Amino acid sequence: MRKYILLSVFMVLSLALAAQTRIVAHRGYWDVAGSAENSLASLRAADRIGAYASELDVHITHDGKVVVFHDDDIVSADRRDTINIETARYADIKRTRLRNGERLPTLKRYLAAARKLRCRLVLEVKAHRTPEAEDRCIREVLRLVRAARLEGRVDYISFSRHACERLHAWAPKAQVAYLDGNLTPRQIKDLGLTGIDYHGSVVMAHPEWVKECHDLGLSVNVWTVNDPKEMAHFVHLGVDFITTNRPVEALKIAAQ
């Protein structure tokens, strides 16, 4: 009898842990001294506080180098010009410094740093000017992830439906979620994707989508949730992930 009681307790605890909302640090944990958005320092800080994952954004340059940065354009190293990453050569932007003094990281360097850490990566392929440019970016991203032996620790997201479909086709075992918020869970499932990653306002307007996603075997991530009351609401709603600029507070709320 005691054996069955212990087994039941173990199963309940396992289900509780599986159901707990996990926290993704948006562009890493950057709101701390010595850090900056999408920096190696923000990645290490996200891992240090115990975030489930660190989110990052990538673009590919005209000559094929994948860099980690959010915006489409970047300020030149001499601060005189604004350069579009997609049309630039890597040599034109490689000396750019982030807010914390780090050089603009390439994805190769970022993945090398991640190999020494435990947290997962949620990699956003930014929408490029053409589907062909997105294809070129995705091919190189997947090559770099394979080379770093991190295929089991990288999940993918994009606002581009085309990019999501390509990621699913070329990395069928990977977790791929759509960001734009204009597709229902059923449509996401029919595309073969593994989840939704929608702005908090979309999920607020469609709370029924959380259960619908789970019934379809899809995951639910909400972004970018910085208000503690909203964090608590989404935890109560049962979302799988919260992406936030305030991961320390979110971790405390998710653990309660």
Side-chain angles (χ1 to χ4, degrees):
M1 183 67 179
R2 182 181 179 187
K3 176 182 176 182
Y4 292 113
I5 292 173
L6 290 173
L7 181 60
S8 297
V9 170
F10 175 76
M11 290 177 66
V12 169
L13 288 173
S14 297
L15 288 169
L17 288 171
Q20 183 175 332
T21 300
R22 288 161 287 186
I23 304 305
V24 179
H26 185 230
R27 305 176 199 167
Y29 181 30
W30 53 266
D31 193 15
V32 63
S35 192
E37 295 180 9
N38 276 314
S39 65
L40 300 184
S42 72
L43 167 63
R44 296 183 181 114
D47 183 74
R48 188 168 60 248
I49 62 172
Y52 171 77
S54 185
E55 186 262 354
L56 65 147
D57 309 282
V58 302
H59 304 259
I60 194 165
T61 64
H62 182 69
D63 53 350
K65 185 74 73 172
V66 180
V67 296
V68 180
F69 197 73
H70 178 265
D71 295 348
D72 296 338
D73 301 322
I74 196 165
V75 178
S76 62
D78 61 10
R79 300 289 175 181
R80 294 180 180 178
D81 300 302
T82 299
I83 304 171
N84 179 263
I85 295 174
E86 189 178 341
T87 59
R89 296 173 304 155
Y90 176 61
D92 298 329
I93 62 173
K94 69 178 184 180
R95 293 188 299 113
T96 301
R97 298 282 178 176
L98 304 183
R99 186 186 66 183
N100 66 341
E102 280 186 31
R103 257 190 195 175
L104 173 72
T106 63
L107 180 59
K108 184 176 181 179
R109 285 184 59 222
Y110 197 97
L111 294 174
R115 284 197 65 184
K116 301 173 185 178
L117 307 174
R118 293 185 179 183
C119 69
R120 295 182 68 84
L121 303 179
V122 175
L123 188 153
E124 179 181 345
V125 174
K126 302 300 287 187
H128 287 62
R129 294 185 176 186
T130 65
E132 292 75 20
E134 288 179 1
D135 289 352
R136 196 163 58 94
C137 181
I138 291 165
R139 286 193 187 97
E140 183 62 7
V141 165
L142 294 177
R143 186 190 73 79
L144 290 168
V145 170
R146 283 194 298 270
R149 299 180 181 178
L150 285 172
E151 292 165 287
R153 281 180 48 206
V154 180
D155 304 327
Y156 299 96
I157 56 176
S158 184
F159 279 96
S160 165
R161 177 171 168 173
H162 171 83
C164 287
E165 290 175 335
R166 281 288 191 266
L167 285 161
H168 170 62
W170 294 343
K173 294 183 180 180
Q175 300 291 307
V176 181
Y178 182 57
L179 286 166
D180 201 19
N182 60 351
L183 296 178
T184 67
R186 182 72 258 177
Q187 289 173 309
I188 293 292
K189 182 71 173 181
D190 290 344
L191 288 175
L193 307 184
T194 61
I196 63 172
D197 192 344
Y198 287 170
H199 190 270
S201 62
V202 176
V203 181
M204 284 280 194
H206 296 281
E208 72 280 3
W209 281 2
V210 176
K211 183 179 185 303
E212 188 175 341
C213 279
H214 291 162
D215 289 345
L216 291 168
L218 302 173
S219 62
V220 180
N221 194 339
V222 289
W223 59 269
T224 300
V225 184
N226 298 323
D227 185 294
K229 291 182 180 179
E230 291 186 4
M231 293 175 189
H233 171 76
F234 286 123
V235 169
H236 181 72
L237 200 58
V239 304
D240 301 285
F241 310 100
I242 291 175
T243 298
T244 178
N245 292 323
R246 300 171 69 178
V248 173
E249 292 173 65
L251 284 165
K252 291 177 181 177
I253 290 169
Q256 290 174 359

